[in-house]
Amino acid sequence: MTVSIAKDKTRPVFPFTAIVGQEKMKLALILNVIDPKIGGVMIMGDRGTGKSTTIRAIADLLPKIEVVEDDLFNSHVSDYELMSDSVKNKIQKSENISTTFINVPMVDLPLGATEDRVCGTIDIEKALADGIKTFEPGLLAKANRGILYVDEVNLLDDHLVDILLDSAASGWNTVEREGISVRHPARFVLVGSGNPEEGELRPQLLDRFGMHAEIRTVKEPSMRVQIVEQRSKFDSDPYMCLQEFQEQQDNLKSSIIAAQQKLPSVTIDYDLRVKISEVCGILDVDGLRGDIVTNRAAKAYASYQGKDQVDIDDIKEVITLCLRHRLRKDPLETIDSGIKVEQVVENVFSIN
């Protein structure tokens, strides 16, 4: 009995490297982990295609992070951009700061969440009566330096989606109540998933997601059998399954860490940047977000491949994920937006 309770506490997660197929979704998640500034990923697909399983698996794969002990915001001990005001004050006063290592936060945002639950609240009564600014942190505080996952994001209130995207883009969350203001770091990878049958996100909101992966139910019989077998094996003995994939998990973890360290030194030629912008221009992509995200994603992919410089193949690998959701919807258009992006890319990059 004691053994089973101890095992239950660890709550094993399906190993990321054991997931069969859905390569584009997996790549989008890995690249966002390598460079969170890509801006998160929106995953749209049929029910039962492993969206939630894959998202939870990537969080479980990541190495532990060092945080300031007893801090509400998972503050970094030396990076000012990832540090709460109280930690900054301690550093300025040269106070001793103790740290601990925690798993990368994986925060689920429930559909019925209120703005206070997401952003946090200030206890106005205490502030007015005692002059103490008491902040009750929300989900954005818990998600700092981690992953914030919103399942069925297309059913979430637009106002909340706006708040999430603003925080993800700026890396900060500000709560203001009755003239009292609290600001804290909120840098996280925003991952949304949904089923297109339940409605699409507004184009303005969709455009704010860095990448967009569309996944379909696997049709290939042998691959379907492989997926079912893998799942059955995990359900019957999760610890044996985790052991089986431990080496692959460790190798992927090492590759991600190496890519994160290499990323700042990866370069992309001016000519390739021009071609990326040319593709965006031909596709009539509004704004410059598509250009920026494609450049970032190409660098992250090149870094993941161990390269010092981005080449055409790196761009081709990521550009559809970065642009397909930014194309204007034409109800009479018969061609898939992903194929449209690929065709333009082939034309532009084949011209010397």
Side-chain angles (χ1 to χ4, degrees):
M1 189 72 173
T2 317
V3 175
S4 68
I5 290 168
K7 281 194 168 187
D8 286 345
K9 282 182 180 175
T10 61
R11 285 175 63 199
V13 175
F14 195 84
F16 188 83
T17 50
I19 294 164
V20 179
Q22 312 300 12
E23 298 306 320
K24 288 293 182 187
M25 169 171 64
K26 291 194 285 191
L27 178 63
L29 289 168
I30 288 170
L31 295 182
N32 271 276
V33 164
I34 291 169
D35 183 6
K37 288 183 180 175
I38 286 171
V41 56
M42 177 69 187
I43 300 165
M44 291 297 269
D46 305 328
R47 294 180 296 275
T49 44
K51 298 188 292 289
S52 298
T53 301
T54 309
I55 293 157
R56 293 183 207 293
I58 189 81
D60 191 58
L61 176 76
L62 300 175
K64 290 191 173 192
I65 56 170
E66 188 180 13
V67 300
V68 175
E69 210 165 11
D70 300 325
D71 182 77
L72 298 170
F73 312 104
N74 307 320
S75 288
H76 198 286
V77 71
S78 58
D79 186 343
Y80 260 53
E81 288 296 303
L82 300 170
M83 199 183 285
S84 66
D85 289 340
S86 61
V87 175
K88 286 177 187 173
N89 290 336
K90 283 181 181 176
I91 288 173
Q92 283 165 4
K93 291 175 185 173
S94 301
E95 289 182 26
N96 192 37
I97 294 173
S98 54
T99 63
T100 185
F101 283 86
I102 63 165
N103 292 325
V104 168
M106 169 76 193
V107 177
D108 281 271
L109 190 140
L111 273 180
T114 60
E115 187 178 336
D116 283 351
R117 178 83 183 93
V118 174
C119 300
T121 56
I122 297 167
D123 190 333
I124 299 298
E125 284 182 23
K126 203 163 189 179
L128 295 174
D130 307 331
I132 301 166
K133 192 158 60 173
T134 308
F135 179 64
E136 186 65 41
L139 297 175
L140 294 180
K142 290 178 182 171
N144 187 37
R145 300 177 67 197
I147 295 171
L148 183 61
Y149 174 43
V150 191
D151 193 11
E152 297 181 343
V153 68
N154 43 340
L155 301 180
L156 193 68
D157 181 67
D158 280 354
H159 173 59
L160 279 183
V161 179
D162 262 333
I163 290 170
L164 294 179
L165 290 163
D166 282 340
S167 295
S170 67
W172 292 90
N173 173 45
T174 305
V175 181
E176 292 182 344
R177 297 283 185 278
E178 310 294 333
I180 299 168
S181 177
V182 172
R183 185 171 177 260
H184 70 78
R187 189 166 294 176
F188 49 83
V189 176
L190 179 62
V191 182
S193 69
N195 183 347
E197 290 174 9
E198 292 164 347
E200 292 281 349
L201 267 183
R202 285 194 291 119
Q204 303 94 304
L205 295 177
L206 201 52
D207 175 63
R208 301 272 293 278
F209 279 91
M211 302 177 100
H212 185 280
E214 275 189 22
I215 56 175
R216 294 280 170 260
T217 304
V218 174
K219 303 292 184 197
E220 170 64 40
S222 59
M223 192 176 273
R224 287 174 79 116
V225 169
Q226 198 181 342
I227 293 167
V228 172
E229 283 178 351
Q230 207 74 278
R231 186 75 229 187
S232 302
K233 194 190 293 183
F234 179 78
D235 289 341
S236 61
D237 191 343
Y239 297 95
M240 184 62 78
C241 187
L242 287 172
Q243 208 172 336
E244 185 187 330
F245 285 92
Q246 194 58 54
E247 190 179 339
Q248 292 177 45
Q249 292 279 98
D250 290 342
N251 290 342
L252 181 53
K253 192 183 285 189
S254 301
S255 298
I256 289 171
I257 294 167
Q260 287 170 333
Q261 291 167 347
K262 191 178 186 62
L263 183 63
S265 63
V266 176
T267 58
I268 177 167
D269 278 348
Y270 176 76
D271 291 349
L272 290 180
R273 297 204 302 270
V274 169
K275 285 197 181 294
I276 288 170
S277 292
E278 193 180 331
V279 170
C280 293
I282 293 169
L283 289 168
D284 201 20
V285 173
D286 289 333
L288 295 172
R289 215 173 256 130
D291 309 50
I292 294 165
V293 170
T294 306
N295 276 277
R296 278 196 179 283
K299 279 186 178 182
Y301 185 74
S303 178
Y304 183 49
Q305 299 300 308
K307 299 175 187 173
D308 295 311
Q309 203 164 21
V310 174
D311 60 31
I312 291 173
D313 290 337
D314 300 325
I315 294 168
K316 285 182 176 178
E317 199 65 43
V318 302
I319 196 164
T320 304
L321 286 166
C322 299
L323 298 183
R324 73 182 307 160
H325 58 302
R326 303 180 199 279
L327 272 54
R328 292 181 183 180
K329 287 271 192 293
D330 181 354
L332 301 175
E333 188 75 77
T334 53
I335 188 170
D336 176 73
S337 58
I339 295 168
K340 196 173 178 183
V341 173
E342 286 166 18
Q343 287 176 349
V344 173
V345 168
E346 282 303 321
N347 290 338
V348 169
F349 282 92
S350 61
I351 302 165
N352 293 321

